[in-house]
Amino acid sequence: MNKLFTMFLPICLLAAVTHAASSELQAEIQFLTNKVQTSPCQFIRNGDKHSGVDAAEHMLSKYDYFADEIHTAEDFIRKAASKSTLTGKPYEVKCSNSHITSQQWLQRHLEDFRQAHSQQ
């Protein structure tokens, strides 16, 4: 019995760590996509302006496509939310007082999210 327990303990620990990381990743991606979806800013992709709802939907479809390559929120931003896969052009975010890349915009919000959750 003790030998069996010793064999399965590392597997159980790995599953718990993987689940925790997966939950954290999902929470961060959900936060970022909700931030985009509810933002009054314009999201510019290949020169075309899109609403936050459209931009979030696009990011999630790219997330589905690249899911096997996304292990962190930074991967999500880089693979699904920062540039066109076809043209390589960076996505942009235009708000009333700023015009920056979506990578910068999302990274700032991710840092705020992590800061808020590290203090809990």
Side-chain angles (χ1 to χ4, degrees):
M1 176 77 162
N2 193 19
K3 197 176 213 177
L4 187 61
F5 177 76
T6 308
M7 272 183 7
F8 285 108
L9 182 61
I11 295 169
C12 293
L13 290 174
L14 179 61
V17 169
T18 302
H19 176 71
S22 178
S23 295
E24 183 178 324
L25 174 61
Q26 293 306 316
E28 290 178 343
I29 290 173
Q30 183 175 357
F31 169 79
L32 291 173
T33 55
N34 285 343
K35 197 71 171 171
V36 170
Q37 188 174 29
T38 59
S39 174
C41 300
Q42 292 182 323
F43 295 84
I44 304 167
R45 189 172 71 244
N46 292 321
D48 296 328
K49 295 176 183 174
H50 299 274
S51 69
V53 172
D54 291 340
E57 185 178 304
H58 182 73
M59 289 174 187
L60 288 172
S61 70
K62 286 182 73 175
Y63 174 57
D64 287 342
Y65 182 80
F66 288 111
D68 291 342
E69 300 174 40
I70 295 175
H71 307 288
T72 66
E74 287 80 6
D75 290 341
F76 170 76
I77 292 170
R78 189 173 33 80
K79 289 281 191 183
S82 66
K83 68 179 179 179
S84 170
T85 306
L86 297 175
T87 66
K89 286 180 71 173
Y91 297 158
E92 302 167 79
V93 181
K94 185 176 182 181
C95 300
S96 59
N97 60 351
S98 68
H99 189 155
I100 60 175
T101 67
S102 64
Q103 184 169 8
Q104 292 169 314
W105 192 87
L106 289 165
Q107 194 63 46
R108 286 180 189 168
H109 288 293
L110 178 61
E111 289 167 11
D112 291 345
F113 177 82
R114 287 177 174 166
Q115 180 77 23
H117 285 80
S118 71
Q119 297 173 358
Q120 292 179 352

